[in-house]
Amino acid sequence: MKVLLSGRSHRSNVTTKRPTPMDASILVVGSDEFQTTLLERLRYIAACTVEVTSSPKEVLPLIQAEQPDVLILQASQVGSLDLCRQIKQQTSLAWIYCILIAEQPQNAIEEILPGWNWELGFRAAALEGGADAYMWLLPNHGKGDMSWEAGLTLQNHLLQAQIQTGIGRVQIYRNLMRTNDVLSAIALADPLTELNNRRALDWELPRQIQNARVRDVPLSLLMLDIDYFKSINDNYGHPVGDRVLQLFSARLRHNLRFQDTPFRYGGEEFAIVLSNTNGQEAQQVAQRLNRAIGNQCFTVDNNRALNITASIGIASLQPDDDANGVSLLNRADQNLLRAKSNGRNRVICEANQPSDETPS
């Protein structure tokens, strides 16, 4: 069950100094009575989406799917502390702020063993178990005397502070992850062509190889080189060469399938990972690219259109290829060199595949 909560702090009529953003989320795990108590309390001190559930044993898949900012657990429920441990042991979930709440007042428990500081003992166990915070919670309805009212007000403030602290930490984490994503995208992107760069290929190819082997599906790789690119730079200048690289990259993108991933390997050389593609299918893709590149001029500017061709080498994943893709890359590159030495503007396949060594 999800509910949207907003409002003022209960009984104290003090609004939060740092308003909780509306996209913040809280998951409450506990008995029906515990949920009712928390929902009534949260209704006045938070502005967020709250979801409730009852069983700690069944909540981990929900946490993995929903990834709430704050998790509030009923301390007395079996499995609550173990759930904290499981969350903190998973890198993908460890940032979730876990608050363990005991709804039984300390003085009632101390009657069992007088003189023992149960609150400190339970708090130490909770923090050692992975909880970020631990607190006691008075019932929402009591005798109405001044001491109970004062205690309830203080606990409301504490709960509010714990939730704000948790959401604040999560926001810092999320912002850091967004920054890291931007930096990673910058590090893995070629600024000229807007394709992924060689570093990205070094990261992606092993992942694709592992996926192909786990799923038992084929994988192929194309290596492309723009023919006579040095003469373009020499005759027209590097700005024209850069523009050709941009137009060439755009034409690649527009003529690839959804599962194909292009990379600028370096200079005028490109690589394309063909997922779930065998050698024969890779040859068809390569020949289509060869025609798309060579059959239409590249309009560099209003006064200049250049005829561009490309040489392409193909390799398909073999059982004895290494997991990093070094041997796969080497074979594709060797076939590319064969295509260039045999006259350029052609596709060269694996030795065990039918080869079209004539211009496409």
Side-chain angles (χ1 to χ4, degrees), residues 114-293:
W116 177 259
N117 195 324
W118 284 91
E119 182 177 357
L120 291 179
F122 282 142
R123 179 173 289 137
L127 296 178
E128 289 171 356
D132 296 287
Y134 181 88
M135 62 176 291
W136 296 92
L137 200 65
L138 289 169
N140 288 339
H141 307 287
K143 297 179 180 180
D145 56 60
M146 293 184 62
S147 61
W148 179 84
E149 291 278 354
L152 186 59
T153 298
L154 288 174
Q155 285 200 337
N156 282 340
H157 285 167
L158 178 59
L159 180 59
Q160 174 179 304
Q162 293 287 10
I163 291 173
Q164 287 184 334
T165 297
I167 292 175
R169 289 187 184 181
V170 170
Q171 287 176 336
I172 291 172
Y173 169 84
R174 292 188 189 278
N175 290 337
L176 180 60
M177 290 300 100
R178 281 193 289 268
T179 300
N180 287 342
D181 288 344
V182 171
L183 293 176
S184 297
I186 293 173
L188 298 176
D190 174 57
L192 178 64
T193 63
E194 298 182 353
L195 296 180
N196 292 321
N197 60 20
R198 182 170 179 171
R199 181 182 297 176
L201 178 64
D202 292 340
W203 177 86
E204 176 67 12
L205 188 55
R207 193 186 70 84
Q208 290 271 9
I209 290 174
Q210 181 183 20
N211 181 64
R213 286 173 169 164
V214 169
R215 297 174 54 208
D216 193 24
V217 296
L219 177 73
S220 295
L221 179 71
L222 306 184
M223 296 292 291
L224 301 85
D225 189 275
I226 300 177
D227 295 330
Y228 303 108
F229 183 75
K230 184 177 183 299
S231 65
I232 297 175
N233 283 331
D234 292 343
N235 293 328
Y236 304 106
H238 288 280
V240 171
D242 287 347
R243 183 57 181 157
V244 168
L245 289 171
Q246 291 173 332
L247 294 172
F248 184 89
S249 301
R251 195 168 294 186
L252 284 184
R253 284 195 299 264
H254 294 155
N255 287 278
L256 290 174
R257 303 167 303 173
F258 176 78
Q259 70 265 34
D260 303 334
T261 310
F263 302 82
R264 186 185 179 191
Y265 193 67
E268 69 274 21
E269 195 169 0
F270 297 79
I272 303 174
V273 178
L274 307 179
S275 302
N276 198 16
T277 303
N278 61 32
Q280 185 174 1
E281 294 166 338
Q283 183 177 355
Q284 294 173 356
V285 173
Q287 289 173 342
R288 185 178 70 250
L289 287 175
N290 187 267
R291 290 191 295 269
I293 293 165

